[in-house]
Amino acid sequence: MSEAAALQPDNRFQQMLSRLSSRSFIEGLVLPAVGIVIFLLVWQFSANRIDTSLGQFPGPVQVWEQIQNLGTEHARERDKEAAFYQRQDERNAKKLAKDPDATIKIRQYTGKPTFIDQIVTSLVTVAAGFIIANMIAIPLGIVCGLSASMYKAMNPIIQIFKPVSPLAWLPLVTMVVSATYVAEDPMLEKSFLNSAITVALCCLWPTLINTTVGVASIDKDLVNVSRVMALSPMVHVRKIVVPAAIPMIFTGLRLSLATGWMVLIAAEMLAQNPGLGKFVWDEFQNGSSNSLGRIMVAVLAIGLIGFLLDRLMLTLQKKVSWDKNAVLR
């Protein structure tokens, strides 16, 4: 190191302080942290003053204890599953050693689903319903946005079915699936189909409406450019319509995903289909001293997963949007 470099003052500490005091750091980290701390304090203060038939309302400390308990139960259940398959493999190996032509039986582990298992089930179900809904909503929304006549024909149907509650759809879906899905060895469980179709029916409308509005409000200059270039209808949709309507389409997708996630929890609670909703209902019926804490864990998990799903859609929108400088929130 040269003498001049050695005599040069080290400004790294001052630079770090300037970054910590910058507006972006305060808005991005400090303010959310302050909000969370205030929320936890208010929550704990309120919980200490609420007594229910199952005991005191759980505060952050009790909820953290139940998070740890649920994690321990999940690990214990996975150990039991591994031991079950190990015993089955050893039994089948001994059977084949005695008789290579023997028929062995492979049974699936049927232990109680854990909290993590219920989360995975709900995520798979909402993803299926969301995909089904938007395979219909986006193409139909594009058609309605391009054709005023089609929109006028579809609008009464949209306005009638848009406000229908999932609690009204679920019995109808259950009966239809039970009557039509009668395979002896079904690939999908009926409970999964009931929940996924109910989610699809309820989260269809936000994407459909926003896609229609986005397509109908495309800049006329873009439409004129398409006409001048004599683009075919499919090329016009792919090159002009979809890119221009991306912001509104993703607004609908984010609303649909949030709606679908809420609908799914309600459907699982009402129909006792596997998932987070069933976990909440089972704990409520259980009525143990830990039930309220476990329900609160599920409530926080539902909210956190909903937030992460929305962030996922926002990230995807940034990837596919043509306007990389647009402010997305």
Side-chain angles (χ1 to χ4, degrees), residues 12-31:
R12 287 178 295 179
F13 182 70
Q14 287 79 4
Q15 291 173 357
M16 183 180 68
L17 289 179
S18 64
R19 284 196 295 267
L20 292 177
S21 61
S22 65
R23 183 180 181 86
S24 59
F25 177 81
I26 293 174
E27 292 181 349
L29 185 62
V30 176
L31 293 180

Side-chain angles (χ1 to χ4, degrees), residues 67-259:
I67 291 175
Q68 293 176 311
N69 291 338
L70 290 169
T72 302
E73 291 177 9
H74 177 75
R76 188 185 307 124
E77 193 66 26
R78 293 289 76 81
D79 291 340
K80 290 172 62 177
E81 181 181 9
F84 170 83
Y85 285 118
Q86 183 178 359
R87 291 194 301 270
Q88 180 173 255
D89 292 341
E90 291 174 353
R91 185 169 56 250
N92 290 334
K94 291 179 181 178
K95 191 173 183 180
L96 290 173
K98 293 180 180 179
D99 181 8
D101 296 327
T103 301
I104 60 174
K105 295 181 180 179
I106 304 297
R107 293 186 174 89
Q108 297 297 319
Y109 181 71
T110 56
K112 179 182 178 181
T114 66
F115 181 66
I116 304 299
D117 296 332
Q118 302 282 36
I119 289 177
V120 173
T121 299
S122 291
L123 286 174
V124 172
T125 306
V126 78
F130 179 72
I131 291 171
I132 292 170
N134 291 295
M135 287 177 64
I136 300 170
I138 293 176
L140 186 58
I142 292 173
V143 173
C144 290
L146 292 174
S147 171
S149 299
M150 185 66 177
Y151 173 73
K152 291 178 181 178
M154 288 296 302
N155 188 50
I157 300 173
I158 295 172
Q159 299 306 323
I160 289 172
F161 288 110
K162 181 181 66 173
V164 176
S165 166
L167 305 183
W169 281 119
L170 187 59
L172 297 175
V173 172
T174 301
M175 288 187 290
V176 170
V177 171
S178 298
T180 58
Y181 193 64
V182 292
E184 294 183 0
D185 187 18
M187 182 176 63
L188 300 173
E189 295 291 336
K190 287 185 178 181
S191 59
F192 172 81
L193 288 178
N194 292 336
S195 296
I197 294 173
T198 303
V199 167
L201 288 171
C202 293
C203 72
L204 173 75
W205 314 110
T207 301
L208 175 55
I209 293 171
N210 279 272
T211 301
T212 301
V213 172
V215 171
S217 58
I218 292 175
D219 193 334
K220 298 302 180 183
D221 291 339
L222 295 176
V223 177
N224 292 333
V225 168
S226 177
R227 289 174 179 170
V228 169
M229 298 180 66
L231 298 180
S232 66
M234 291 303 298
V235 174
H236 171 71
V237 169
R238 190 173 72 253
K239 296 292 187 179
I240 303 295
V241 173
V242 172
I246 279 290
M248 288 298 293
I249 292 175
F250 267 90
T251 299
L253 290 173
R254 291 171 67 185
L255 292 172
S256 289
L257 190 54
T259 300

